[in-house]
Amino acid sequence: MTQFPKNFLWGGAIAANQAEGAYNVDGRGLVQTDVTTGGSVNSPRYTTYIDKDGKPGKYASMGHAGGHLPEGAKYAVLEDHYYPNHQAVDFYHRYKEDIKLFAEMGYSVFRLSISWARIFPNGDETEPNQAGLDFYRSVFEECRQYGIEPLVSIWHFDTPLALEQNYGGWKNRKLVDFYVKYAETIMKEYKDLVKYWLTFNEINNTTMFLDMMGGHGTDADYQEGYQVLHNQFVASAKTVRLGKTINPDFVFGNMICGITFYPATCDPADILAAERKWQSGIYYCGDVQVKGAYGTYAKKLWAEHNVELEITEEDLDDLKNGTVDIYTFSYYMSNNVTTHEITDKVAGNFSAGARNPYLTYSDWGWAHDATGLQYYLEKIYDRYQVPLMVVENGLGAFDTVEAGGSIHDDYRIDYHRAHIKAMSDAIANGVDLIAYTTWGCIDIVSAGTGEMRKRYGFIYVDMDDAGNGTLERTPKDSFYWYQKVIASNGQDLE
Ligand code: BG6
């Protein structure tokens, strides 16, 4: 018997820039992924630009070392490149069909993000774009029609590109006000349609990836990274405070990229090294957003990289009074940490550290570790004691379409079955877990690699990495399996 409470929310999750497409439709402004090419597990995605002399160029993006826009260059869509997010899976035009399929699976919750650049195309306008507001109203109404609760990420890696280009992005304090204005606009607009809001998707990536990507980060990178985080913490806290005045029933969550860190050996030095990863990678953001103040170890982390943050008294007050109600996170894998020389290293995108001999790995090098999810849930609940949501969890894998059109993705079913059991075990141990939204309820463009063939969905989308395909939707075996799981409230996992 599994242990899911009666009102447990079951569903799936997507993000605007990875699903919607329609990148230049109805007044939408550009975002970073619109100038980012596709990559693979071995090759990075590239961000494209025109330099100050008018020459096209590109740099490796998404956390790869050394990538930045040259002085005087402007982000640009170049003619001879393919940009997978431009069309993505065209959720913008097909949301009715997709939400109907989600309803058929039995969803009680659907996590999606609002594209800031659909609402304020350049980020700094005084008036919102009505077409953008209308689009999400229609999406939320469609969800409500099926009794599906929308769970809305206000930001999912998609700051309007004009704010990056003209203001230098989140290291600039001005972004706080632009974000809060955007958040206020959508919270007022949808106050009767949306109850659950997540302020920043995987907020901790900014500095965690500096640690994970082979330690390429310079002191200047950390200075910028920690200031970006501080500005986002303030924006998040101000949004929570404001939101509660718009509708006191709103429920706010943070959103953390949840990775379980293990010491690779029982050498006490490895135990401490793993604990440091929990602090810098996981607790750093959770402590500010849930407890309302920087953790005791924060000063040490800043000192290690000579970071001097700009923090005002008012900021501290905002952080204290703008804490979130629930802790939400993504979970895909665990990582091993060691102070010893690593002889067997994990190779993949966004995976790092020593290979764990007790685990198997995906084709992208991500460890399959359901027990790591249970560990994370129990550790985090014990630390914060607020309700938790797993708002992303899934397996990126190659799928094969059989001659008759069916897709037998038993590997994906196995992955989710194990993680659902792990959630149930954590609940049995006292964790207040209230929702599970699997990642990519439908195939969408991978954030890390820009691939379509790294598929997560329970619904197959006919689209390849070069943009060929009909975009037709087909339920996979996992679709019917998840339908049974939801109908039985997690009892029938076979
Ligand atoms: C999370 C992100 O990091 O992981 C998603 O919130 C992303 O946007 C997901 O798609 C899976 O990562 P990827 O790189 O396989 O798409």
Side-chain angles (χ1 to χ4, degrees), residues 378-413:
E378 294 183 8
K379 201 171 169 66
I380 291 297
Y381 187 63
D382 194 42
R383 189 175 184 94
Y384 300 119
Q385 301 193 10
V386 296
L388 309 184
M389 286 185 177
V390 177
V391 295
E392 282 184 34
N393 171 240
L395 176 66
F398 299 107
D399 286 335
T400 307
V401 183
E402 304 295 331
S406 49
I407 298 110
H408 303 309
D409 56 342
D410 42 307
Y411 36 89
R412 186 167 294 109
I413 294 173

Side-chain angles (χ1 to χ4, degrees), residues 172-236:
N172 186 339
R173 274 297 286 227
K174 288 197 174 128
L175 273 270
V176 174
D177 293 336
F178 293 137
Y179 174 95
V180 175
K181 182 180 164 78
Y182 153 61
E184 180 179 13
T185 305
I186 57 175
M187 289 191 297
K188 283 188 170 155
E189 180 76 22
Y190 309 123
K191 72 177 169 29
D192 300 320
L193 284 168
V194 176
K195 174 178 172 189
Y196 293 100
W197 301 93
L198 309 184
T199 53
F200 285 91
N201 181 69
E202 293 193 339
I203 192 168
N204 54 325
N205 284 0
T206 303
T207 49
M208 187 168 71
F209 281 4
L210 285 178
D211 283 345
M212 279 170 66
M213 307 308 287
H216 295 298
T218 62
D219 281 1
D221 292 332
Y222 278 95
Q223 172 68 42
E224 181 175 324
Y226 279 121
Q227 191 65 53
V228 161
L229 280 186
H230 179 72
N231 294 346
Q232 293 185 338
F233 293 151
V234 173
S236 172

Side-chain angles (χ1 to χ4, degrees), residues 18 156-157 201-202 205 255 332 349-350 366 392 439 445-449 454 456:
Q18 294 170 255
H156 194 121
F157 305 150
N201 181 69
E202 293 193 339
N205 284 0
M255 200 299 200
Y332 293 90
N349 76 303
F350 298 148
W366 294 19
E392 282 184 34
W439 182 244
V445 176
S446 157
T449 65
K454 188 181 188 191
Y456 285 90

